[in-house]
């Protein structure tokens, strides 16, 4: 059935439509209502509920919350643990060197920060937003951007009830059009609609390529004797080699909970590398392995993060809309923090949209928002760390991070000897042919401390309607075989943290199997496929992981 044969979509009009109920989208919604209670605001969220697709560390810098909801510290409804101990280590295969806090640039300090579940923070923000009159629709994915006279005029949610082969099932329901004077895209790292808008409006022109990492995380309930409330511990080095960037976090919070996670920079070169297996191996290090003895793993998930920072943030505004949060890439890589900037950017965009609406404007470009961020606290946060990632990529962990730390120190004093360094290649272009690399032998999981992918995905509570079109679109199957498989050795089978991709030999034929129902929406395939041949589009709303508190 062609689009013109379909029944018309129902349309609703709002002042502002927001795509994504993460910290950026919800902060924007709240700020709009604080400034002007009569502004109509709607938020759509592809997760089955607010927080279901939120995965973070998370140690949060409270600057965003303090500015948005000054009374939050006095409220008990937002669970948090104040950071009490802050440690940073460089790991070797069996030893660990602790870096004295005094050597660390002050911006790296976590004192005054809080350990939270970012999913819980989003649920708290959603309650605040709804109390102010914001409409929130979880379970609806924004699948299409609506345009009028080349200006964004809102979004359409995806149709529901389409079968794998494209026919309409009895449950078929047409998507809805949510039309608005301004539309904010708050989809987080590598947003699917944001990607098309960056392309269409040339928003990344004259910018460095956006850079990414994949972050994997487990939540553990640990034995009481292993729990150190408020401990925040970061590492870099082992198990990654010097030429592969990344590191770990371990946060003790709440009631004997430990969030343990591992980030691998997606400009890695060896196609045999598996971020998931590196994470499992990291947990075996003597510095951390005892933490999990007698404990129970209760949740698992993964999500991409942006790493380009200052140099890579695209133009934020275009006719009728704006990018906010990690959809634009406001993550501070050395601090491993982005939620504070996500909130601040949502508030900043809201303030400029509220001013425009008050002047009777609509569907034009919020140029003042774009002009304001570099001089705001977001810009100050990203400016001081702008050379860490380029140095790390160019010189490796040992030298690159040491020079990066020196540059952070000089920036703290108000200058840099290096100017602003470029990032170089986009992440999809960094893999070497498999023939030039050594396969990596990872240890077998023991089922107690280390696990396989499928039992891990089970703990992400991922669920998709199985009879629907595959949402991981391989544009050219022949190219996937000739290049992804034959040249690069099939890296998707290793970088995907959910075991979605498999190359299977059957009856002398090689098949590329896509287990789309396992996808945890991390977006790594959309970023790292060496030919940009995989396009992630939203599946039916409500599908995907169901993180209770990640
Ligand atoms: C492993 C890891 C550890 C991290 N640790 C920290 C930390 O300790 N401290 C910190 O401050 N930051 C941390 N971050 C970064 C932080 O999580 C992000 O900066 C922050 O979540 C960005 O907020 P956001 O609102 O822009 O996007 P997100 O939090 O990604 O939220 C986007 C929301 O939009 C929804 N969405 C996306 N596309 C659509 C669509 N088309 N239709 C409808 N809904 C859609 C998603 O489901 C999601 O709910 C970490 C990130 C990772 C991955
Ligand atoms: S299929 Fe892609 S988006 Fe889904 S979990 Fe795998 S790498 Fe992530």
């Amino acid at each position: 059935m062609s689009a013109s044969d379909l029944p018309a979509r129902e349309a609703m009009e709002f002042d502002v439509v927001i795509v994504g109920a993460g910290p950026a989208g919800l902060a924007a919604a709240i700020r709009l209502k604080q400034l002007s209670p009569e502004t109509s605001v709607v938020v759509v969220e592809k997760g089955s509920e607010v927080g279901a697709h939120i995965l973070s560390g998370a140690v949060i810098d409270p600057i965003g919350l303090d500015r948005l909801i000054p009374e939050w510290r006095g409220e008990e409804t937002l669970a948090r643990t104040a950071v009490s101990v802050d440690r940073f280590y460089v790991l070797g295969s069996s030893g660990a060197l602790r870096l004295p806090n005094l050597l660390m640039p002050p911006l790296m300090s976590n004192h005054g920060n809080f350990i939270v579940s970012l999913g819980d923070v989003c649920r708290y923000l959603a309650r605040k937003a709804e109390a102010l009159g914001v409409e929130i629709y979880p379970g609806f994915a924004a699948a299409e951007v609506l345009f009028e006279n080349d200006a964004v005029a809102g979004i359409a949610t995806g149709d529901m009830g389409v079968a794998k082969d494209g026919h309409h099932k009895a449950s078929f329901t047409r998507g809805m059009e949510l039309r608005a004077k301004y539309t904010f895209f708050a989809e987080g790292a590598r947003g699917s609609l944001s990607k098309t808008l960056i392309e269409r409006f040339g928003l990344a022109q004259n910018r460095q390529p956006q850079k990414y990492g994949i972050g994997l995380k487990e939540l553990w309930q640990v034995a009481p004797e292993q729990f150190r409330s408020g401990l925040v511990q970061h590492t870099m080095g082992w198990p990654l080699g010097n030429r592969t960037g990344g590191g770990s976090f371990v946060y003790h919070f709440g009631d004997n909970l430990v969030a343990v996670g591992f980030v691998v920079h997606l400009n890695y070169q060896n196609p045999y590398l598996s971020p998931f297996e590196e994470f499992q191996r990291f947990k075996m290090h003597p510095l951390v392995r005892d933490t999990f003895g007698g404990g129970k793993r209760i949740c698992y998930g993964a999500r991409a993060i942006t790493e380009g920072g200052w140099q890579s943030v695209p133009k934020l505004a275009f006719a009728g809309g704006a990018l906010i949060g990690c959809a634009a890439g406001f993550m501070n890589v050395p601090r491993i923090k982005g939620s504070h900037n996500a909130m601040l950017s949502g508030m900043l965009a809201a303030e400029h949209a509220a001013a425009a609406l008050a002047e009777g404007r609509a569907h034009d470009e919020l140029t003042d928002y774009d002009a304001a961020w570099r001089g705001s606290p977001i810009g100050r946060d990203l400016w001081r760390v702008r050379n860490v990632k380029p140095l790390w990529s160019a010189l490796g962990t040992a030298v690159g991070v040491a020079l990066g730390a020196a540059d952070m120190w000089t920036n703290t004093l108000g200058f840099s000897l290096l100017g602003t360094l470029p990032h170089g290649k986009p992440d999809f272009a960094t893999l070497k042919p498999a023939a030039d690399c050594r396969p990596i032998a990872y240890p077998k999981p023991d089922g107690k401390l280390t696990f396989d992918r499928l039992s891990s995905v089970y703990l992400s509570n991922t669920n998709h309607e199985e009879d629907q079109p595959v949402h991981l679109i391989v544009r050219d199957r022949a190219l996937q075989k000739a290049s992804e498989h034959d040249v690069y050795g099939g890296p998707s089978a290793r970088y995907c943290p959910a075991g979605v991709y498999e190359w299977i030999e059957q009856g002398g034929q090689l098949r590329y199997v896509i287990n789309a129902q396992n996808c945890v929406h991390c977006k790594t395939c959309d970023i790292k496929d060496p030919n940009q041949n995989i396009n992630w589009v939203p599946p039916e709303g409500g599908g995907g992981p169901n993180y209770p508190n990640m």
Side-chain angles (χ1 to χ4, degrees), residues 19-20 22-24 45-46 53-54 56-59 118 141-142 186-188 303 305 325-326 331 336-339 342:
V19 179
E45 166 54 51
K46 66 179 164 61
H53 288 184
I54 298 292
S56 192
V59 172
L118 197 63
E187 298 175 286
R303 181 77 174 93
I305 60 173
C326 278
M331 175 88 181
I336 326 184
K337 289 183 186 60
S339 62

PDB file of all heavy atoms in Angstrom, residues 19-20 22-24 45-46 53-54 56-59 118 141-142 186-188 303 305 325-326 331 336-339 342, ligand 1:
ATOM      1  N   VAL A  19      10.891  15.597  21.260  1.00  0.00           N
ATOM      2  CA  VAL A  19      11.117  14.172  20.965  1.00  0.00           C
ATOM      3  C   VAL A  19      12.151  13.639  21.953  1.00  0.00           C
ATOM      4  O   VAL A  19      13.331  13.982  21.869  1.00  0.00           O
ATOM      5  CB  VAL A  19      11.627  13.983  19.518  1.00  0.00           C
ATOM      6  CG1 VAL A  19      11.876  12.508  19.238  1.00  0.00           C
ATOM      7  CG2 VAL A  19      10.650  14.575  18.522  1.00  0.00           C
ATOM      8  N   GLY A  20      11.699  12.813  22.888  1.00  0.00           N
ATOM      9  CA  GLY A  20      12.616  12.172  23.831  1.00  0.00           C
ATOM     10  C   GLY A  20      12.446  12.699  25.245  1.00  0.00           C
ATOM     11  O   GLY A  20      12.592  13.893  25.498  1.00  0.00           O
ATOM     12  N   GLY A  22      14.321  12.235  27.921  1.00  0.00           N
ATOM     13  CA  GLY A  22      15.547  12.144  28.718  1.00  0.00           C
ATOM     14  C   GLY A  22      15.716  13.447  29.480  1.00  0.00           C
ATOM     15  O   GLY A  22      14.816  14.305  29.476  1.00  0.00           O
ATOM     16  N   PRO A  23      16.868  13.625  30.128  1.00  0.00           N
ATOM     17  CA  PRO A  23      17.074  14.854  30.894  1.00  0.00           C
ATOM     18  C   PRO A  23      16.946  16.124  30.052  1.00  0.00           C
ATOM     19  O   PRO A  23      16.412  17.129  30.529  1.00  0.00           O
ATOM     20  CB  PRO A  23      18.491  14.724  31.452  1.00  0.00           C
ATOM     21  CG  PRO A  23      19.027  13.413  31.015  1.00  0.00           C
ATOM     22  CD  PRO A  23      17.971  12.669  30.268  1.00  0.00           C
ATOM     23  N   ALA A  24      17.387  16.094  28.786  1.00  0.00           N
ATOM     24  CA  ALA A  24      17.305  17.299  27.949  1.00  0.00           C
ATOM     25  C   ALA A  24      15.854  17.644  27.645  1.00  0.00           C
ATOM     26  O   ALA A  24      15.412  18.785  27.845  1.00  0.00           O
ATOM     27  CB  ALA A  24      18.083  17.083  26.651  1.00  0.00           C
ATOM     28  N   GLU A  45       8.008   9.714  23.790  1.00  0.00           N
ATOM     29  CA  GLU A  45       9.113   8.881  24.270  1.00  0.00           C
ATOM     30  C   GLU A  45       8.919   7.479  23.714  1.00  0.00           C
ATOM     31  O   GLU A  45       7.860   6.881  23.884  1.00  0.00           O
ATOM     32  CB  GLU A  45       9.104   8.877  25.811  1.00  0.00           C
ATOM     33  CG  GLU A  45       9.971   7.818  26.464  1.00  0.00           C
ATOM     34  CD  GLU A  45      11.435   7.832  25.979  1.00  0.00           C
ATOM     35  OE1 GLU A  45      12.061   8.890  25.982  1.00  0.00           O
ATOM     36  OE2 GLU A  45      11.920   6.745  25.583  1.00  0.00           O
ATOM     37  N   LYS A  46       9.959   6.921  23.063  1.00  0.00           N
ATOM     38  CA  LYS A  46       9.807   5.600  22.432  1.00  0.00           C
ATOM     39  C   LYS A  46       9.811   4.459  23.446  1.00  0.00           C
ATOM     40  O   LYS A  46       9.339   3.363  23.162  1.00  0.00           O
ATOM     41  CB  LYS A  46      10.875   5.384  21.356  1.00  0.00           C
ATOM     42  CG  LYS A  46      12.310   5.288  21.845  1.00  0.00           C
ATOM     43  CD  LYS A  46      13.262   5.055  20.667  1.00  0.00           C
ATOM     44  CE  LYS A  46      14.714   5.322  20.993  1.00  0.00           C
ATOM     45  NZ  LYS A  46      15.342   4.531  22.039  1.00  0.00           N
ATOM     46  N   HIS A  53      14.345   3.585  28.545  1.00  0.00           N
ATOM     47  CA  HIS A  53      15.492   3.545  27.625  1.00  0.00           C
ATOM     48  C   HIS A  53      16.653   4.398  28.126  1.00  0.00           C
ATOM     49  O   HIS A  53      17.584   4.674  27.363  1.00  0.00           O
ATOM     50  CB  HIS A  53      15.063   4.027  26.232  1.00  0.00           C
ATOM     51  CG  HIS A  53      14.199   3.053  25.515  1.00  0.00           C
ATOM     52  ND1 HIS A  53      13.760   3.234  24.232  1.00  0.00           N
ATOM     53  CD2 HIS A  53      13.700   1.850  25.913  1.00  0.00           C
ATOM     54  CE1 HIS A  53      13.017   2.199  23.860  1.00  0.00           C
ATOM     55  NE2 HIS A  53      12.959   1.350  24.887  1.00  0.00           N
ATOM     56  N   ILE A  54      16.606   4.814  29.376  1.00  0.00           N
ATOM     57  CA  ILE A  54      17.678   5.661  29.894  1.00  0.00           C
ATOM     58  C   ILE A  54      18.744   4.792  30.539  1.00  0.00           C
ATOM     59  O   ILE A  54      18.467   4.020  31.472  1.00  0.00           O
ATOM     60  CB  ILE A  54      17.132   6.668  30.938  1.00  0.00           C
ATOM     61  CG1 ILE A  54      16.098   7.592  30.281  1.00  0.00           C
ATOM     62  CG2 ILE A  54      18.271   7.464  31.569  1.00  0.00           C
ATOM     63  CD1 ILE A  54      16.633   8.553  29.252  1.00  0.00           C
ATOM     64  N   SER A  56      22.762   5.273  32.003  1.00  0.00           N
ATOM     65  CA  SER A  56      23.836   6.240  32.261  1.00  0.00           C
ATOM     66  C   SER A  56      24.682   5.680  33.385  1.00  0.00           C
ATOM     67  O   SER A  56      24.509   4.520  33.775  1.00  0.00           O
ATOM     68  CB  SER A  56      23.180   7.569  32.641  1.00  0.00           C
ATOM     69  OG  SER A  56      24.121   8.602  32.637  1.00  0.00           O
ATOM     70  N   GLY A  57      25.606   6.477  33.981  1.00  0.00           N
ATOM     71  CA  GLY A  57      26.460   5.996  35.063  1.00  0.00           C
ATOM     72  C   GLY A  57      25.691   5.718  36.331  1.00  0.00           C
ATOM     73  O   GLY A  57      25.453   4.583  36.682  1.00  0.00           O
ATOM     74  N   ALA A  58      25.257   6.698  37.119  1.00  0.00           N
ATOM     75  CA  ALA A  58      25.472   8.087  36.801  1.00  0.00           C
ATOM     76  C   ALA A  58      25.879   8.878  38.050  1.00  0.00           C
ATOM     77  O   ALA A  58      25.212   8.793  39.083  1.00  0.00           O
ATOM     78  CB  ALA A  58      24.206   8.685  36.252  1.00  0.00           C
ATOM     79  N   VAL A  59      27.011   9.561  37.882  1.00  0.00           N
ATOM     80  CA  VAL A  59      27.354  10.601  38.853  1.00  0.00           C
ATOM     81  C   VAL A  59      26.965  11.916  38.206  1.00  0.00           C
ATOM     82  O   VAL A  59      27.454  12.237  37.119  1.00  0.00           O
ATOM     83  CB  VAL A  59      28.862  10.596  39.153  1.00  0.00           C
ATOM     84  CG1 VAL A  59      29.246  11.796  40.000  1.00  0.00           C
ATOM     85  CG2 VAL A  59      29.249   9.308  39.858  1.00  0.00           C
ATOM     86  N   LEU A 118      19.909   7.530  36.495  1.00  0.00           N
ATOM     87  CA  LEU A 118      19.397   8.619  35.651  1.00  0.00           C
ATOM     88  C   LEU A 118      17.956   8.336  35.211  1.00  0.00           C
ATOM     89  O   LEU A 118      17.179   9.260  34.985  1.00  0.00           O
ATOM     90  CB  LEU A 118      20.302   8.854  34.439  1.00  0.00           C
ATOM     91  CG  LEU A 118      20.094  10.206  33.747  1.00  0.00           C
ATOM     92  CD1 LEU A 118      20.416  11.380  34.652  1.00  0.00           C
ATOM     93  CD2 LEU A 118      20.919  10.309  32.469  1.00  0.00           C
ATOM     94  N   ALA A 141       7.135   6.308  19.297  1.00  0.00           N
ATOM     95  CA  ALA A 141       8.390   6.722  18.676  1.00  0.00           C
ATOM     96  C   ALA A 141       8.093   7.765  17.604  1.00  0.00           C
ATOM     97  O   ALA A 141       7.177   7.586  16.795  1.00  0.00           O
ATOM     98  CB  ALA A 141       9.058   5.511  18.031  1.00  0.00           C
ATOM     99  N   ALA A 142       8.856   8.849  17.616  1.00  0.00           N
ATOM    100  CA  ALA A 142       8.768   9.812  16.517  1.00  0.00           C
ATOM    101  C   ALA A 142       9.515   9.195  15.344  1.00  0.00           C
ATOM    102  O   ALA A 142      10.711   8.915  15.432  1.00  0.00           O
ATOM    103  CB  ALA A 142       9.388  11.140  16.927  1.00  0.00           C
ATOM    104  N   ALA A 186      15.442  15.746  21.221  1.00  0.00           N
ATOM    105  CA  ALA A 186      16.176  15.415  22.453  1.00  0.00           C
ATOM    106  C   ALA A 186      16.355  13.905  22.502  1.00  0.00           C
ATOM    107  O   ALA A 186      16.119  13.267  23.523  1.00  0.00           O
ATOM    108  CB  ALA A 186      15.388  15.912  23.670  1.00  0.00           C
ATOM    109  N   GLU A 187      16.794  13.336  21.356  1.00  0.00           N
ATOM    110  CA  GLU A 187      16.837  11.866  21.221  1.00  0.00           C
ATOM    111  C   GLU A 187      18.070  11.232  21.837  1.00  0.00           C
ATOM    112  O   GLU A 187      18.228  10.018  21.781  1.00  0.00           O
ATOM    113  CB  GLU A 187      16.812  11.499  19.729  1.00  0.00           C
ATOM    114  CG  GLU A 187      15.570  11.930  18.978  1.00  0.00           C
ATOM    115  CD  GLU A 187      15.714  11.619  17.492  1.00  0.00           C
ATOM    116  OE1 GLU A 187      16.472  12.323  16.796  1.00  0.00           O
ATOM    117  OE2 GLU A 187      15.090  10.657  17.027  1.00  0.00           O
ATOM    118  N   GLY A 188      18.994  12.031  22.358  1.00  0.00           N
ATOM    119  CA  GLY A 188      20.225  11.460  22.895  1.00  0.00           C
ATOM    120  C   GLY A 188      21.214  11.159  21.773  1.00  0.00           C
ATOM    121  O   GLY A 188      20.993  11.518  20.601  1.00  0.00           O
ATOM    122  N   ARG A 303      24.647   1.737  25.743  1.00  0.00           N
ATOM    123  CA  ARG A 303      24.182   2.941  25.024  1.00  0.00           C
ATOM    124  C   ARG A 303      25.408   3.681  24.502  1.00  0.00           C
ATOM    125  O   ARG A 303      26.451   3.718  25.182  1.00  0.00           O
ATOM    126  CB  ARG A 303      23.416   3.832  26.020  1.00  0.00           C
ATOM    127  CG  ARG A 303      22.845   5.111  25.467  1.00  0.00           C
ATOM    128  CD  ARG A 303      21.580   4.857  24.671  1.00  0.00           C
ATOM    129  NE  ARG A 303      20.953   6.099  24.254  1.00  0.00           N
ATOM    130  CZ  ARG A 303      21.191   6.685  23.072  1.00  0.00           C
ATOM    131  NH1 ARG A 303      22.029   6.148  22.199  1.00  0.00           N
ATOM    132  NH2 ARG A 303      20.569   7.796  22.744  1.00  0.00           N
ATOM    133  N   ILE A 305      27.647   6.966  23.587  1.00  0.00           N
ATOM    134  CA  ILE A 305      27.813   8.331  24.127  1.00  0.00           C
ATOM    135  C   ILE A 305      28.514   9.171  23.058  1.00  0.00           C
ATOM    136  O   ILE A 305      29.242   8.641  22.222  1.00  0.00           O
ATOM    137  CB  ILE A 305      28.641   8.356  25.437  1.00  0.00           C
ATOM    138  CG1 ILE A 305      30.047   7.789  25.214  1.00  0.00           C
ATOM    139  CG2 ILE A 305      27.959   7.592  26.524  1.00  0.00           C
ATOM    140  CD1 ILE A 305      30.936   7.943  26.431  1.00  0.00           C
ATOM    141  N   GLY A 325      20.626  18.553  24.162  1.00  0.00           N
ATOM    142  CA  GLY A 325      21.212  17.393  24.843  1.00  0.00           C
ATOM    143  C   GLY A 325      22.200  16.643  23.967  1.00  0.00           C
ATOM    144  O   GLY A 325      22.831  17.204  23.066  1.00  0.00           O
ATOM    145  N   CYS A 326      22.314  15.346  24.213  1.00  0.00           N
ATOM    146  CA  CYS A 326      23.322  14.543  23.506  1.00  0.00           C
ATOM    147  C   CYS A 326      22.981  14.324  22.040  1.00  0.00           C
ATOM    148  O   CYS A 326      23.828  13.846  21.282  1.00  0.00           O
ATOM    149  CB  CYS A 326      23.553  13.222  24.232  1.00  0.00           C
ATOM    150  SG  CYS A 326      24.701  13.450  25.612  1.00  0.00           S
ATOM    151  N   MET A 331      28.337  15.968  25.729  1.00  0.00           N
ATOM    152  CA  MET A 331      29.015  15.129  26.719  1.00  0.00           C
ATOM    153  C   MET A 331      30.435  15.648  26.982  1.00  0.00           C
ATOM    154  O   MET A 331      31.167  15.968  26.057  1.00  0.00           O
ATOM    155  CB  MET A 331      29.075  13.712  26.135  1.00  0.00           C
ATOM    156  CG  MET A 331      29.832  12.728  26.950  1.00  0.00           C
ATOM    157  SD  MET A 331      28.733  11.964  28.143  1.00  0.00           S
ATOM    158  CE  MET A 331      29.901  10.904  28.968  1.00  0.00           C
ATOM    159  N   ILE A 336      33.212  12.119  32.094  1.00  0.00           N
ATOM    160  CA  ILE A 336      32.134  11.144  31.809  1.00  0.00           C
ATOM    161  C   ILE A 336      30.805  11.686  32.298  1.00  0.00           C
ATOM    162  O   ILE A 336      30.034  10.997  32.995  1.00  0.00           O
ATOM    163  CB  ILE A 336      32.357   9.756  32.437  1.00  0.00           C
ATOM    164  CG1 ILE A 336      33.806   9.353  32.497  1.00  0.00           C
ATOM    165  CG2 ILE A 336      31.576   8.696  31.640  1.00  0.00           C
ATOM    166  CD1 ILE A 336      33.978   7.930  33.028  1.00  0.00           C
ATOM    167  N   LYS A 337      30.509  12.889  31.895  1.00  0.00           N
ATOM    168  CA  LYS A 337      29.237  13.502  32.315  1.00  0.00           C
ATOM    169  C   LYS A 337      28.617  14.267  31.157  1.00  0.00           C
ATOM    170  O   LYS A 337      29.304  15.044  30.487  1.00  0.00           O
ATOM    171  CB  LYS A 337      29.466  14.473  33.475  1.00  0.00           C
ATOM    172  CG  LYS A 337      29.798  13.781  34.767  1.00  0.00           C
ATOM    173  CD  LYS A 337      29.934  14.761  35.905  1.00  0.00           C
ATOM    174  CE  LYS A 337      30.407  14.034  37.143  1.00  0.00           C
ATOM    175  NZ  LYS A 337      31.723  13.383  36.936  1.00  0.00           N
ATOM    176  N   GLY A 338      27.324  14.059  30.992  1.00  0.00           N
ATOM    177  CA  GLY A 338      26.614  14.797  29.954  1.00  0.00           C
ATOM    178  C   GLY A 338      25.230  15.215  30.404  1.00  0.00           C
ATOM    179  O   GLY A 338      24.603  16.059  29.786  1.00  0.00           O
ATOM    180  N   SER A 339      24.742  14.616  31.506  1.00  0.00           N
ATOM    181  CA  SER A 339      23.343  14.868  31.876  1.00  0.00           C
ATOM    182  C   SER A 339      23.143  16.312  32.329  1.00  0.00           C
ATOM    183  O   SER A 339      22.082  16.893  32.093  1.00  0.00           O
ATOM    184  CB  SER A 339      22.891  13.888  32.953  1.00  0.00           C
ATOM    185  OG  SER A 339      23.668  14.054  34.108  1.00  0.00           O
ATOM    186  N   ALA A 342      22.945  18.274  29.198  1.00  0.00           N
ATOM    187  CA  ALA A 342      21.680  17.954  28.523  1.00  0.00           C
ATOM    188  C   ALA A 342      20.577  18.824  29.119  1.00  0.00           C
ATOM    189  O   ALA A 342      19.789  19.450  28.403  1.00  0.00           O
ATOM    190  CB  ALA A 342      21.351  16.469  28.683  1.00  0.00           C
TER     191      ALA A 342
HETATM  192  C1  LIG B   1      27.512   4.165  30.153  1.00  0.00           C
HETATM  193  C2  LIG B   1      27.239   5.638  30.317  1.00  0.00           C
HETATM  194  C3  LIG B   1      27.642   6.279  31.465  1.00  0.00           C
HETATM  195  C4  LIG B   1      27.374   7.631  31.638  1.00  0.00           C
HETATM  196  N1  LIG B   1      27.703   8.215  32.829  1.00  0.00           N
HETATM  197  C5  LIG B   1      27.314   9.486  33.068  1.00  0.00           C
HETATM  198  C6  LIG B   1      27.498  10.038  34.351  1.00  0.00           C
HETATM  199  O1  LIG B   1      28.001   9.389  35.263  1.00  0.00           O
HETATM  200  N2  LIG B   1      27.094  11.313  34.546  1.00  0.00           N
HETATM  201  C7  LIG B   1      26.489  12.055  33.552  1.00  0.00           C
HETATM  202  O2  LIG B   1      26.128  13.220  33.790  1.00  0.00           O
HETATM  203  N3  LIG B   1      26.314  11.549  32.323  1.00  0.00           N
HETATM  204  C8  LIG B   1      26.693  10.284  32.063  1.00  0.00           C
HETATM  205  N4  LIG B   1      26.463   9.735  30.832  1.00  0.00           N
HETATM  206  C9  LIG B   1      25.897  10.576  29.763  1.00  0.00           C
HETATM  207  C10 LIG B   1      24.420  10.863  29.982  1.00  0.00           C
HETATM  208  O3  LIG B   1      23.727   9.662  30.179  1.00  0.00           O
HETATM  209  C11 LIG B   1      23.872  11.617  28.773  1.00  0.00           C
HETATM  210  O4  LIG B   1      24.640  12.786  28.605  1.00  0.00           O
HETATM  211  C12 LIG B   1      22.418  11.988  28.959  1.00  0.00           C
HETATM  212  O5  LIG B   1      21.628  10.857  29.199  1.00  0.00           O
HETATM  213  C13 LIG B   1      21.922  12.734  27.731  1.00  0.00           C
HETATM  214  O6  LIG B   1      20.598  13.117  27.943  1.00  0.00           O
HETATM  215  P1  LIG B   1      19.617  13.334  26.703  1.00  0.00           P
HETATM  216  O7  LIG B   1      18.322  13.744  27.296  1.00  0.00           O
HETATM  217  O8  LIG B   1      20.262  14.212  25.724  1.00  0.00           O
HETATM  218  O9  LIG B   1      19.491  11.908  25.994  1.00  0.00           O
HETATM  219  P2  LIG B   1      19.082  10.480  26.559  1.00  0.00           P
HETATM  220  O10 LIG B   1      19.328  10.387  28.011  1.00  0.00           O
HETATM  221  O11 LIG B   1      19.720   9.485  25.679  1.00  0.00           O
HETATM  222  O12 LIG B   1      17.510  10.430  26.353  1.00  0.00           O
HETATM  223  C14 LIG B   1      16.932  10.402  25.080  1.00  0.00           C
HETATM  224  C15 LIG B   1      15.505   9.887  25.195  1.00  0.00           C
HETATM  225  O13 LIG B   1      14.866  10.069  23.940  1.00  0.00           O
HETATM  226  C16 LIG B   1      14.192   8.887  23.575  1.00  0.00           C
HETATM  227  N5  LIG B   1      14.135   8.860  22.107  1.00  0.00           N
HETATM  228  C17 LIG B   1      15.187   8.780  21.255  1.00  0.00           C
HETATM  229  N6  LIG B   1      14.763   8.813  19.986  1.00  0.00           N
HETATM  230  C18 LIG B   1      13.407   8.906  20.030  1.00  0.00           C
HETATM  231  C19 LIG B   1      12.407   8.975  19.032  1.00  0.00           C
HETATM  232  N7  LIG B   1      12.709   8.993  17.730  1.00  0.00           N
HETATM  233  N8  LIG B   1      11.103   9.031  19.435  1.00  0.00           N
HETATM  234  C20 LIG B   1      10.788   9.046  20.754  1.00  0.00           C
HETATM  235  N9  LIG B   1      11.708   8.973  21.738  1.00  0.00           N
HETATM  236  C21 LIG B   1      13.006   8.928  21.377  1.00  0.00           C
HETATM  237  C22 LIG B   1      15.021   7.781  24.181  1.00  0.00           C
HETATM  238  O14 LIG B   1      14.270   6.599  24.327  1.00  0.00           O
HETATM  239  C23 LIG B   1      15.453   8.399  25.511  1.00  0.00           C
HETATM  240  O15 LIG B   1      14.500   8.158  26.512  1.00  0.00           O
HETATM  241  C24 LIG B   1      26.719   8.376  30.613  1.00  0.00           C
HETATM  242  C25 LIG B   1      26.310   7.729  29.448  1.00  0.00           C
HETATM  243  C26 LIG B   1      26.552   6.369  29.295  1.00  0.00           C
HETATM  244  C27 LIG B   1      26.066   5.671  28.061  1.00  0.00           C
END
